[in-house]
């Protein structure tokens, strides 16, 4: 058979993931902070993009005296000139020497006594002070903006700075202070020492006995319990400083695992005390701080900004809208495009760069608009599905999955999953993540509508919170109670839900409730 070369024309369709398409997909699953950071980077790279403020003005554009344009500013100056004479204004008359008498007569006030030589400032010094005040960041009335009170808040002191102020008074030798500085660097956020003393001694070329002696001194610093290597040692240090570390209390601290299990009978035998003394010891333990370094955390807590806001509408429906604070505001500077495009000196390379920037800017704005529309679609369908929850509470939360929402809005499940990731909805019932409204379906015992797993967990939590010390519910009792309410649930599932909510077993709860009841009776 002879071999020959032939030319064929074939046409087929395929899905190609372009960089723009990948960018649109990534925008869907970005949080508010990630989106703002991404847009800031794009604005730095693209000269045609501008971020705008709440009033629609480009950020960084100068504004004078809060006026919108030069005409308003000129009008304001003209009014001032008419009030205080040609070329003068009320502000200049207030601070210039020689005009005080006319101002006193006009306002019926005596500013000579208020700004006398006995004070720290005179009227002659006032212009300098005013200039210093206006030169502060965000200062002065001419900026048109108020002051940020966070600029005047005292800085938070860290645990290392707090200990660094005490170490020179506790340790006199420079070598001991060096050891203390190394041990301080090994403290975690809770104030516990996470270092091996032998390794620290080997690294510094010191003996393990000297490092241990320095550690004993450091454990007496403030806050109590600092430099502990375990929870038991942390509690022991605090009890020792309170002069409460007797043999019985030491036995209790050494057996914290029994305390966690609420095994009070075994603790009474180990400590050699009766029930009343054990209750007093437990009350003393509750007064201690298990994390002495937690009060010096410098972690800045960021509030969650909801992406969607749900409000009740007048016609007994729900109004779903995007949160304006969570919407990035960017504009494409068409004037700049026109000005540069008309320039005759622009080279082909510059024109190609400008065309690429314009294409990327338009694509980004369309992607952000599509992202907003998709979030609204998903949120509206969630609100429609969970209408009973918004009206009556968690007990009426319906089982819901991604496929149900995706089929209703004609989108793919992966798109719905990206939209609901790290997005929050503000409702009259509170602030919830969009993932919260998706839960597993649990069959009904009476053949009715299925129940949501989150609603069942809420019922279990409510029943356990309302139980009395004399009638503590076991897992079997919870199963029977739920079955009578129409929820078909196995005992192992109840135990799994209970452990996921960090609720102890019925035996441990009975011991704890009885101990608390006895403490309250005393």
């Amino acid at each position: 058979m002879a071999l020959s070369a032939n030319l064929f024309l074939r046409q087929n369709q395929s899905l190609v993931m372009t960089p723009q398409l990948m960018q649109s997909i990534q925008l869907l699953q970005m949080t508010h902070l990630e989106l703002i950071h991404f847009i800031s980077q794009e604005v730095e790279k693209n000269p045609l993009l501008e971020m705008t403020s709440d009033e629609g003005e480009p950020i960084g554009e100068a504004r004078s005296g809060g006026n919108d344009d030069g005409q308003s500013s000129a009008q304001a100056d003209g009014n001032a000139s008419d009030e205080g004479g040609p070329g003068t204004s009320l502000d200049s008359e207030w601070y210039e020497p020689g005009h005080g008498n006319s101002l006193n007569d006009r306002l019926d006030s005596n500013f000579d006594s208020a700004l006398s030589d006995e004070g720290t400032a005179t009227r002659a010094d006032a212009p300098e002070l005013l200039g210093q005040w206006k030169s502060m960041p965000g200062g002065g009335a001419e900026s048109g903006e108020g002051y940020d009170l966070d600029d005047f808040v005292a800085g938070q002191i860290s645990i290392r700075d707090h200990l660094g102020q005490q170490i020179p008074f506790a340790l006199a030798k420079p070598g001991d202070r060096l050891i203390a500085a190394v041990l301080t660097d090994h403290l975690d956020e809770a104030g516990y020492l996470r270092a091996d003393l032998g390794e620290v001694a080997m690294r510094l070329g010191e003996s393990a006995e000297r490092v241990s002696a320095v550690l004993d001194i450091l454990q007496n610093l403030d806050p109590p319990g600092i430099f502990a290597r375990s929870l038991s040692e942390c509690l022991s240090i605090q009890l020792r400083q309170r002069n409460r570390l007797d043999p019985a209390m030491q036995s209790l601290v050494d057996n914290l695992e029994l305390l966690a299990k609420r095994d009070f009978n075994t603790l009474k035998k180990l400590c050699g005390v009766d029930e009343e003394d054990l209750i007093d010891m437990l009350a003393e333990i509750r007064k201690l701080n298990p994390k002495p370094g937690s009060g010096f955390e410098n972690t800045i807590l960021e509030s969650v900004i909801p992406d969607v806001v749900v409000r009740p509408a007048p016609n007994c429906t729900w109004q779903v809208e995007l949160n304006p604070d969570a919407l990035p505001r960017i504009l494409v500077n068409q004037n700049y495009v026109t000005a540069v495009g008309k320039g005759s000196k622009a080279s082909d390379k510059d024109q190609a760069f400008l065309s690429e920037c314009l294409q990327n800017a338009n694509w980004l704005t369309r992607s952000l608009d599509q992202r907003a529309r998709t979030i609204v679609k998903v949120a509206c369908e969630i609100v429609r599905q969970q209408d009973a929850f918004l009206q009556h509470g968690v007990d009426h939360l319906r089982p819901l999955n991604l496929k149900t929402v995706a089929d209703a809005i004609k989108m793919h499940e992966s798109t719905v999953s990206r939209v609901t990731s790290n997005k929050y909805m503000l409702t009259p019932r509170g602030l919830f993540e969009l993932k919260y409204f998706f839960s597993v379906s649990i069959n009904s015992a009476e053949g009715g509508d299925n129940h949501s797993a989150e609603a069942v967990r809420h019922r279990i939590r409510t029943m356990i919170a309302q139980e009395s010390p004399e009638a503590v519910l076991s897992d079997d009792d919870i199963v029977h109670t739920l079955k009578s309410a129409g929820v078909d649930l196995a005992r192992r599932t109840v135990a799994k839900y209970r452990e996921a909510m960090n609720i102890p077993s019925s035996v441990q709860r009975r011991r704890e409730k009885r101990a608390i009841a006895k403490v309250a009776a005393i």
Side-chain angles (χ1 to χ4, degrees):
M1 180 176 180
L3 299 178
S4 61
N6 297 320
L7 182 62
F8 294 96
L9 181 62
R10 180 178 300 174
Q11 184 178 4
N12 58 355
Q13 292 182 348
S14 62
L15 180 63
V16 179
M17 292 290 291
T18 61
Q20 291 82 1
L21 183 58
M22 295 178 61
Q23 181 186 90
S24 300
I25 295 176
Q26 292 174 356
L27 288 177
L28 277 178
Q29 57 188 6
M30 284 185 181
T31 62
H32 172 67
L33 296 178
E34 293 174 348
L35 184 62
I36 295 299
H37 179 68
F38 172 78
I39 292 177
S40 300
Q41 291 180 340
E42 292 296 321
V43 170
E44 291 180 359
K45 296 186 298 183
N46 196 332
L48 304 183
L49 287 175
E50 291 181 354
M51 295 189 68
T52 61
S53 60
D54 295 339
E55 292 82 6
E57 299 180 358
I59 296 178
E61 183 175 347
R63 291 182 295 174
S64 175
N67 299 324
D68 296 335
D69 50 20
Q71 182 179 1
S72 301
S73 178
Q75 183 179 0
D77 294 337
N79 295 336
S81 299
D82 296 338
E83 181 92 8
T88 61
S89 63
L90 185 61
D91 289 341
S92 60
E93 183 179 359
W94 181 285
Y95 291 108
E96 288 182 2
H99 293 276
N101 296 331
S102 61
L103 191 62
N104 292 343
D105 299 337
R106 187 183 307 166
L107 300 180
D108 192 18
S109 302
N110 187 7
F111 293 96
D112 293 333
S113 61
L115 297 175
S116 61
D117 294 337
E118 297 178 357
T120 59
T122 62
R123 288 183 296 171
D125 299 331
E128 181 180 357
L129 297 177
L130 179 64
Q132 295 177 0
W133 178 261
K134 291 183 178 181
S135 64
M136 293 176 62
E142 296 181 356
S143 63
E145 299 179 359
Y147 293 97
D148 189 0
L149 295 180
D150 292 338
D151 296 337
F152 301 94
V153 177
Q156 294 183 354
I157 185 172
S158 64
I159 182 63
R160 289 169 177 80
D161 295 337
H162 182 68
L163 294 173
Q165 298 174 358
Q166 306 175 59
I167 289 176
F169 298 95
L171 300 172
K173 297 181 180 179
D176 294 342
R177 294 180 182 179
L178 177 60
I179 297 175
V182 174
L183 295 179
T184 303
D185 292 337
H186 287 84
L187 291 178
D188 60 6
E189 296 180 355
Y192 287 86
L193 180 62
R194 303 302 182 187
D196 183 75
L197 298 184
E199 294 180 359
V200 174
M202 184 181 302
R203 189 191 320 155
L204 298 177
E206 298 288 347
S207 62
E209 291 77 10
R210 184 178 181 182
V211 176
S212 180
V214 171
L215 178 60
D216 293 338
I217 298 176
L218 295 178
Q219 288 180 348
N220 294 321
L221 300 181
D222 182 76
I226 198 69
F227 285 100
R229 288 162 290 185
S230 63
L231 177 60
S232 177
E233 186 178 13
C234 178
L235 300 180
S236 299
I237 294 173
Q238 299 181 52
L239 291 171
R240 187 183 303 111
Q241 295 181 4
R242 296 187 179 193
N243 198 19
R244 287 284 293 122
L245 191 62
D246 51 16
M249 188 66 77
Q250 184 66 55
S251 301
L252 177 61
V253 172
D254 294 339
N255 296 275
L256 295 178
E257 66 279 357
L258 297 178
L259 180 59
K261 297 178 181 179
R262 277 81 170 175
D263 192 356
F264 300 126
N265 293 328
T266 306
L267 286 175
K268 287 190 295 183
K269 297 178 181 178
L270 293 175
C271 298
V273 296
D274 55 9
E275 187 172 356
E276 183 177 353
D277 292 337
L278 182 61
I279 292 175
D280 294 337
M281 295 166 62
L282 296 179
E284 190 74 20
I285 290 293
R286 289 191 180 96
K287 298 178 182 179
L288 305 179
N289 185 9
K291 296 181 179 180
S294 59
F296 297 88
E297 292 181 354
N298 292 328
T299 304
I300 300 176
L301 299 179
E302 298 178 353
S303 59
V304 176
I305 300 178
D307 299 89
V308 182
V309 180
V310 179
R311 298 185 179 93
N315 54 352
C316 298
T317 57
W318 299 100
Q319 180 182 359
V320 182
E321 60 184 6
L322 291 174
N323 185 11
D325 296 335
L327 289 177
R329 300 172 178 86
I330 61 171
L331 295 176
V332 181
N333 194 338
Q334 297 292 346
N335 296 330
Y336 183 76
V337 177
T338 305
V340 176
K342 291 181 179 180
S344 59
K345 297 182 179 180
S347 61
D348 295 338
K349 184 178 180 181
D350 296 336
Q351 292 290 346
F353 173 75
L354 183 64
S355 177
E356 182 182 358
C357 290
L358 181 60
Q359 181 181 1
N360 293 337
N362 291 331
W363 181 271
L364 179 59
T365 54
R366 288 196 299 267
S367 299
L368 292 175
D369 181 70
Q370 183 64 30
R371 175 182 181 271
R373 295 176 184 272
T374 306
I375 292 176
V376 171
K377 283 184 180 180
V378 174
C380 289
E381 182 61 24
I382 291 176
V383 170
R384 191 183 70 83
Q385 295 283 347
Q386 302 294 353
D387 177 71
F389 162 77
L390 296 175
Q391 292 183 0
H392 306 290
V394 185
D395 291 337
H396 295 79
L397 189 67
R398 293 179 53 188
L400 187 65
N401 53 31
L402 297 175
K403 188 177 185 304
T404 303
V405 176
D407 294 341
I409 61 177
K410 307 300 181 182
M411 289 185 178
H412 197 268
E413 294 183 39
S414 60
T415 304
V416 178
S417 177
R418 291 186 180 96
V419 170
T420 55
S421 298
N422 299 319
K423 308 293 190 306
Y424 293 87
M425 177 187 294
L426 181 61
T427 69
R429 295 285 172 181
L431 182 65
F432 300 94
E433 188 179 3
L434 294 183
K435 289 287 188 183
Y436 173 82
F437 299 97
F438 297 88
S439 59
V440 182
S441 176
I442 297 177
N443 297 329
S444 175
E446 300 175 354
D449 296 336
N450 294 341
H451 302 273
S452 170
E454 182 63 31
V456 173
R457 283 193 288 267
H458 176 71
R459 290 189 182 184
I460 296 175
R461 190 186 303 110
T462 303
M463 286 189 293
I464 293 177
Q466 296 176 353
E467 64 186 4
S468 61
E470 293 78 14
V472 176
L473 299 175
S474 63
D475 293 343
D476 292 329
D477 296 335
I478 296 176
V479 169
H480 294 315
T481 304
L482 292 176
K483 193 169 185 178
S484 61
V487 181
D488 187 10
L489 204 63
R491 191 190 67 84
R492 61 179 179 274
T493 307
V494 172
K496 182 181 68 174
Y497 286 172
R498 177 179 51 77
E499 293 174 357
M501 293 183 292
N502 295 324
I503 298 177
S505 63
S506 59
V507 177
Q508 297 176 357
R509 297 200 309 272
R510 183 180 294 107
R511 293 171 180 171
E512 183 178 6
K513 289 179 181 294
R514 289 179 177 178
I516 295 176
K518 291 180 180 179
V519 171
I522 295 175

